[in-house]
Amino acid sequence: MERAAVFDVDGTLVDTNHLHVVTWWEAFRQAGHRVPMHAVHRAVGLASTDLITHLLGDDRDKDGDAWLSQAHKALYGQYFDRLPALPDAGDLLRRLSRDGWKVVLATSAGGAELSALRRAIGADDAITATASADDVDAGKPAPEPVEHALELAGVPAERAVFVGDTVWDMRAGSRAGVRCVGVLCGGLPRADLEEAGAEAVYAGPAHLLAALADSPLA
């Protein structure tokens, strides 16, 4: 039977979380909002509108949301040509593909940003499909991004594992009924990932690759 390995991208396969923190912080600053970086860090992984709501609240002037999103996109876009893949990220995806897993990316990135992330990973030959937040009505922590990834792979939830670095990833995977694996390279504590649904936690792609035989992706 076929099986699917679904991966978040930012902070899981590519070392971008702190770039997102700085560029979101700068976008908020330019718009006159004082948002601490630690709060931004814990919100990374949410889709743009959800991140803004999480940090500014529902009672904000929503007319500024589009400007904030565009400001973040422009600031972050300055790094597209040098986004760093995490160690062994591409090797992990290729190994899983050779082992018979359908590898699917589930990310809120799209367009030029997604292309830059895939170039950084350098393993397009191992990737079966990509599920973008643009393809669903609700982003993580809703289950739809993971469910859409499973639809693209043609694999049921009980034959899938979702790997991510945020509590939003773990909640989305758990709600979609898949086994969840956390990685610490996004900067969140192990306890937070386990509380949100991770059944196993690794330092990053290199650690998961080295421990693959004893992992949920065995």
Side-chain angles (χ1 to χ4, degrees), residues 6 106 140-147 150 157-158 160-164 166-181 196-198:
V6 182
K140 305 167 196 171
E144 281 88 338
V146 180
E147 291 170 344
L150 298 180
E158 61 269 19
V161 177
F162 181 44
V163 183
T166 69
V167 295
W168 319 115
D169 293 326
M170 300 301 100
R171 291 174 184 171
S174 296
R175 291 168 182 172
V178 304
R179 302 172 73 186
C180 295
V181 169

Side-chain angles (χ1 to χ4, degrees), residues 116-166:
L117 291 165
R118 291 184 66 145
R119 284 196 304 273
I121 298 166
D124 276 358
D125 54 311
I127 298 170
T128 298
T130 300
S132 168
D134 296 336
D135 303 324
V136 295
D137 293 329
K140 305 167 196 171
E144 281 88 338
V146 180
E147 291 170 344
H148 182 52
L150 298 180
E151 290 172 4
L152 293 174
V155 174
E158 61 269 19
R159 297 284 299 171
V161 177
F162 181 44
V163 183
D165 69 298
T166 69

